[in-house]
Amino acid sequence: MSHELDPGQALIARHPIFDSQQRVIAYELNYHRDTNLGDMMAMDPDASSSSEVILSTYTSISDQGEVKRVPAFLPVPLEMINSSTMPKLPTKQVVLMISAPTGRHSECASALRQILKDGYRVTLEIGNYTPDLAPLLKMANIVKLDVSLMQEDELKARVRELLPHKVTLLASNIQSIEQLEHCIEAGFKLFEGSFLSRPKVIKGRRVSANQVTLMQLIQELQKPNTKPEVLEELIIRDPVLTYKLLRIVNSAAYSLVRKVESIAEAVVLLGMDQVRKWATLIAMTNQDNKPEELSRALLIRGRMCELIAEGEKRPNAASYFMTGMMSGLHVMLDIDQQTMLEQVPLGDDIKSAIANHEGDMGRILEQATAYENGDWEELPADFNVTLFESAYRNSLHWAKESMQAMYE
């Protein structure tokens, strides 16, 4: 059953904030414009600390196998701070984001003073720099600039204007890897945007033999009558895949009484669905030159598509997982999406879902992607809010545990 969106149902999406090495150092939490921040932080009224539950869910990640918490950048309206209606939050885990609207500098200054008095760190979001912003910049720890429309010369000019204020500069809404490189060169220290989802295309590049083997394995896993022996024959072609699958099945996650030594035995013990997911995960994380966040994002999307399909009682939910995961494979391979779809052995239904959002798989992929981007206005008015919100939260948790198991 579908549920109409109401202000009491909180929609939250997280967007990574990177350092210059493309390592995640924080997440910006975006919540639906009709959602009150207090309502969002009280999603679980039975929890001992609802804000802790929310922040832990959205800011816990596995980074190179180590589970860690990163800060949450949380947008907060000026009115909420100045009216003293903001819920109490753990100061070490959040950075409050304040927009500096034109003509309301005194109101903004009042909010910033209150934030600092309460022990929070603050990010000030500004448009163009003007000298009258100086009193506000003195109170800010970080300054956030939308760089989507800025050329290289303008980026450098903005940095020159802001550097005397001794603030850390966050470039937001970066659209491409090339623009990211310009921002790093200009002197920005923190970075946020959709650049990870856009490959730096290498003209004429083809998928490598090892990558094709992984794709062939994934295709074989889609067949309902495939045999463990057939899968073993494909898996042992790739020593890295063989090693990682055996390590996973022998990890603490499965608590086996004896070591598993053959791939066929591992396939039987894990089951087809688990092998399918692990083989895909290994394919995604086997790109040493790619930031871990890209693998994490595709894991989350794949799992979310699968959970939504299960919630809607669609047949073969595992295909929805594959669709979500493979929707960003071209970024991993540094080729455009059309070339990727021509070169890798995916089913026609998955290819059409990825390329044109056709069929139920394409619809769910499109809607899950809109949700994770925080583009909630692009979702149908009667979409199942409870299902999507639960699928997203569970996908965050599943991706963290899966990536941790890769290093056990």
Side-chain angles (χ1 to χ4, degrees):
M1 181 183 296
S2 294
H3 300 269
E4 293 289 345
L5 182 62
D6 66 70
Q9 288 183 293
L11 303 182
I12 316 172
R14 70 181 196 186
H15 298 155
I17 295 173
F18 302 92
D19 64 12
S20 60
Q21 304 300 312
Q22 295 184 48
R23 294 174 299 205
V24 175
I25 58 93
Y27 283 106
E28 179 179 335
L29 300 192
N30 289 337
Y31 50 97
H32 192 265
R33 61 181 177 275
D34 293 331
T35 301
N36 180 280
L37 178 61
D39 292 338
M40 183 185 88
M41 288 299 177
M43 284 172 65
D44 184 1
D46 297 324
S48 57
S49 172
S50 296
S51 63
E52 274 286 336
V53 172
I54 293 296
L55 292 172
S56 176
T57 300
Y58 288 87
T59 63
S60 292
I61 58 172
S62 173
D63 185 34
Q64 296 294 310
E66 178 188 352
V67 175
K68 67 179 186 180
R69 293 277 297 274
V70 296
F73 281 48
L74 198 62
V76 181
L78 290 178
E79 296 80 4
M80 180 176 288
I81 297 165
N82 287 331
S83 63
S84 301
T85 57
M86 191 184 79
K88 186 171 178 57
L89 301 168
T91 56
K92 290 184 179 179
Q93 294 172 28
V94 299
V95 178
L96 300 185
M97 295 179 59
I98 298 293
S99 178
T102 305
R104 297 172 63 188
H105 288 180
S106 61
E107 189 180 350
C108 189
S110 174
L112 291 175
R113 282 192 290 270
Q114 186 60 50
I115 288 171
L116 295 173
K117 179 183 174 184
D118 292 339
Y120 294 103
R121 292 165 290 174
V122 62
T123 293
L124 183 67
E125 187 173 5
I126 66 173
N128 290 326
Y129 171 80
T130 52
D132 60 340
L133 285 170
L136 303 181
L137 294 171
K138 274 186 183 178
M139 292 186 276
N141 305 102
I142 299 167
V143 170
K144 178 181 177 182
L145 279 172
D146 184 337
V147 301
S148 58
L149 300 178
M150 293 186 190
Q151 299 301 315
E152 191 172 1
D153 289 346
E154 188 178 359
L155 287 172
K156 292 178 179 177
R158 295 290 83 75
V159 170
R160 283 196 299 271
E161 291 170 339
L162 290 165
L163 277 181
H165 297 282
K166 296 181 170 50
V167 290
T168 300
L169 298 181
L170 165 59
S172 77
N173 209 8
I174 301 173
Q175 302 293 310
S176 67
I177 293 293
E178 290 80 4
Q179 192 177 33
L180 170 66
E181 291 168 349
H182 291 155
C183 289
I184 293 172
E185 186 180 343
F188 287 89
K189 299 300 182 186
L190 303 176
F191 312 90
E192 179 272 330
S194 60
F195 58 89
L196 274 189
S197 64
R198 304 184 185 193
K200 189 172 183 177
V201 176
I202 300 173
K203 194 171 181 181
R205 181 168 186 160
R206 297 191 62 81
V207 180
S208 72
N210 276 353
Q211 290 164 334
V212 169
T213 298
L214 283 166
M215 296 308 107
Q216 288 172 339
L217 170 63
I218 289 163
Q219 186 181 45
E220 185 65 33
L221 284 162
Q222 303 305 305
K223 299 177 182 177
N225 58 349
T226 191
K227 300 287 193 296
E229 295 78 15
V230 176
L231 295 176
E232 182 173 45
E233 187 179 335
L234 283 168
I235 290 169
I236 60 176
R237 294 181 194 173
D238 188 332
V240 173
L241 179 59
T242 302
Y243 168 72
K244 287 190 174 181
L245 268 181
L246 288 174
R247 185 173 67 180
I248 288 162
V249 77
N250 286 319
S251 72
Y254 289 94
S255 305
L256 300 179
V257 295
R258 61 182 176 82
K259 292 283 186 182
V260 172
E261 296 181 357
S262 82
I263 289 296
E265 189 180 6
V267 170
V268 171
L269 283 170
L270 285 174
M272 289 298 180
D273 280 350
Q274 287 295 313
V275 173
R276 181 185 294 112
K277 288 176 182 175
W278 284 116
T280 311
L281 173 58
I282 292 167
M284 291 291 157
T285 56
N286 208 25
Q287 310 296 319
D288 293 334
N289 62 331
K290 295 297 179 182
E292 198 168 64
E293 180 62 22
L294 181 51
S295 302
R296 184 164 29 245
L298 294 177
L299 271 178
I300 292 165
R301 186 182 303 167
R303 181 62 173 153
M304 186 175 179
C305 288
E306 181 179 38
L307 290 173
I308 293 168
E310 289 175 356
E312 292 186 359
K313 297 187 170 25
R314 302 288 169 188
N316 195 12
S319 292
Y320 291 77
F321 176 85
M322 296 304 304
T323 301
M325 283 285 286
M326 294 301 172
S327 65
L329 180 62
H330 62 293
V331 186
M332 289 285 192
L333 304 178
D334 284 323
I335 57 179
D336 63 273
Q337 190 177 82
Q338 183 179 348
T339 303
M340 183 271 288
L341 292 174
E342 290 170 356
Q343 291 187 25
V344 299
L346 294 172
D348 289 340
D349 53 349
I350 292 179
K351 287 185 176 183
S352 61
I354 292 172
N356 303 310
H357 293 149
E358 292 179 3
D360 282 324
M361 283 193 289
R363 172 183 60 81
I364 287 178
L365 171 62
E366 184 176 29
Q367 292 177 359
T369 303
Y371 189 102
E372 71 180 27
N373 289 336
D375 297 329
W376 295 297
E377 65 280 359
E378 295 181 12
L379 292 162
D382 63 346
F383 83 103
N384 191 328
V385 178
T386 303
L387 173 60
F388 274 63
E389 188 272 330
S390 174
Y392 184 63
R393 275 192 295 115
N394 283 318
S395 299
L396 296 179
H397 181 70
W398 181 86
K400 179 182 71 175
E401 290 197 332
S402 296
M403 297 188 80
Q404 184 183 6
M406 289 285 293
Y407 291 88
E408 286 188 349

